[in-house]
Amino acid sequence: MRPKTVEDMLENYPISLENVIKIAKELYIPKIWNERSYIDDDAMKKIMNRFNEINSMKANRNNPNYKQKEKNEGSVFEKLIREDYKIFLDTSSLMNYNALKVLSKEVIPYLKKYKKELYIVDSVLEEVKKNEKSSNPQKAKQAKSARFVLSVLAKDDLYAIPETNSVEKSVADQELLTCFTNYRVKYNLCLITNDNSHKKDGKLAKGILNLKKDPNVRKIKDIVVYYISHNKTNPRLVKYEDNRDSNFSLHDYAPKRVRL
């Protein structure tokens, strides 16, 4: 087995090279200069523990009313729906086993309350159909779960298929990017997607957020991205941030800090 390097750490933990080097210096862990530097499991653990500690301190310092904020988390989507954000649902979140659970808790009640709807582009529906026929049993099962979610939404007219004017309707990522590009000056937009891999720099999630930064387009409306968290007992919709380090925590609820 070859010795582990910082590059291995970056592939397995959502932390940046800059933070690895900075924390290694703080903890007096020697010879951590770049991605090729060798690092053992004990050093990795110490760095990640310190990294999580720093993030927790920031959360508590910036959010003195953290518990109240957590309590009101579900009202985020009420605000978005009330303010007429156009909310799109991507294949990766639609096929998430917890999709119906989080939508029922955080989105559907407010769609009904304000008589609004979600938007699902043609290519997402096609990907669900395609995955239902997949030879991969797990993927086929997820697609059938997604179809059930669609049937629940359709029953109460809670989703519509928008005209995106996209020339690429076979790949959901491309159609969504085209759609958001076209409508970013007209509407506030929200995408729910779990296509936000830290290892791949956020993929679709980051691509969508980058549309806000185009210097050639004036008066771009707000664009936000949410994903379904991996908490098994209490999954919820979490805001995706452009900085990958800020999207990582050990779990959804930060413990309080106490002085002994």
Side-chain angles (χ1 to χ4, degrees):
M1 181 182 293
R2 71 175 180 82
K4 291 181 180 178
T5 64
V6 172
E7 186 175 18
D8 296 321
M9 185 176 181
L10 297 176
E11 289 179 356
N12 289 287
Y13 295 97
I15 185 171
S16 66
L17 176 61
E18 179 182 0
N19 278 329
V20 171
I21 295 172
K22 182 179 178 181
I23 294 172
K25 288 181 180 178
E26 178 186 333
L27 299 178
Y28 299 102
I29 298 173
K31 300 180 181 179
I32 302 296
W33 300 304
N34 53 44
E35 292 183 346
R36 295 184 297 279
S37 301
Y38 293 116
I39 186 169
D40 58 31
D41 289 336
D42 184 60
M44 284 189 190
K45 185 177 179 180
K46 288 179 180 177
I47 290 172
M48 286 308 302
N49 283 343
R50 179 56 182 156
F51 174 67
N52 294 328
E53 185 178 76
I54 291 169
N55 278 353
S56 181
M57 289 169 63
K58 285 180 179 177
N60 288 329
R61 184 168 62 248
N62 296 331
N63 299 284
N65 299 317
Y66 186 87
K67 288 186 177 179
Q68 185 64 34
K69 179 188 173 198
E70 196 66 55
K71 182 179 178 181
N72 294 332
E73 192 76 34
S75 66
V76 169
F77 268 80
E78 178 174 17
K79 181 176 183 292
L80 295 179
I81 292 165
R82 185 178 66 242
E83 295 181 358
D84 202 27
Y85 276 67
K86 304 303 179 186
I87 302 173
F88 289 74
L89 190 57
D90 179 39
T91 315
S92 57
S93 291
L94 183 58
M95 286 177 54
N96 186 294
Y97 286 131
N98 289 316
L100 186 57
K101 187 173 183 178
V102 297
L103 291 175
S104 296
K105 181 174 65 174
E106 300 184 46
V107 180
I108 289 176
Y110 306 118
L111 292 175
K112 292 180 177 179
K113 179 178 179 179
Y114 297 103
K115 295 180 172 55
K116 302 290 185 179
E117 57 201 4
L118 293 175
Y119 296 98
I120 302 176
V121 298
D122 278 311
S123 51
V124 167
L125 299 175
E126 289 301 317
E127 287 183 356
V128 171
K129 291 178 186 176
K130 181 180 177 181
N131 283 317
E132 274 193 296
K133 301 173 184 177
S134 172
S135 58
N136 183 324
Q138 179 77 3
K139 190 169 287 187
K141 188 176 179 181
Q142 288 177 288
K144 288 177 182 177
S145 174
R147 182 179 285 276
F148 181 71
V149 176
L150 290 170
S151 69
V152 170
L153 293 171
K155 179 175 176 290
D156 292 314
D157 293 323
L158 297 180
Y159 92 87
I161 304 171
E163 289 292 337
T164 60
N165 299 318
S166 174
V167 295
E168 179 56 86
K169 290 194 175 184
S170 60
V171 181
D173 286 20
Q174 293 303 315
E175 187 171 8
L176 284 165
L177 282 165
T178 298
C179 182
F180 274 58
T181 300
N182 292 340
Y183 290 120
R184 61 186 166 163
V185 297
K186 188 175 182 180
Y187 302 114
N188 289 319
L189 301 169
C190 171
L191 177 64
I192 300 174
T193 179
N194 277 58
D195 190 352
N196 59 357
S197 168
H198 297 298
K199 295 179 183 178
K200 299 177 181 178
D201 293 325
K203 292 195 71 182
L204 179 59
K206 190 167 184 177
I208 289 291
L209 286 184
N210 283 342
L211 294 176
K212 290 202 297 186
K213 303 175 183 177
D214 191 339
N216 299 311
V217 180
R218 297 179 62 190
K219 297 182 179 178
I220 295 175
K221 297 277 189 177
D222 192 27
I223 300 175
V224 292
V225 177
Y226 281 79
Y227 63 94
I228 299 172
S229 70
H230 301 294
N231 188 301
K232 292 181 180 179
T233 57
N234 186 31
R236 61 192 181 95
L237 287 164
V238 179
K239 191 174 184 181
Y240 178 85
E241 303 290 352
D242 200 20
N243 175 358
R244 73 176 187 171
D245 288 346
S246 66
N247 294 298
F248 176 74
S249 64
L250 286 176
H251 44 68
D252 287 339
Y253 301 99
K256 65 181 180 181
R257 288 193 161 271
V258 297
R259 180 172 292 177
L260 299 179

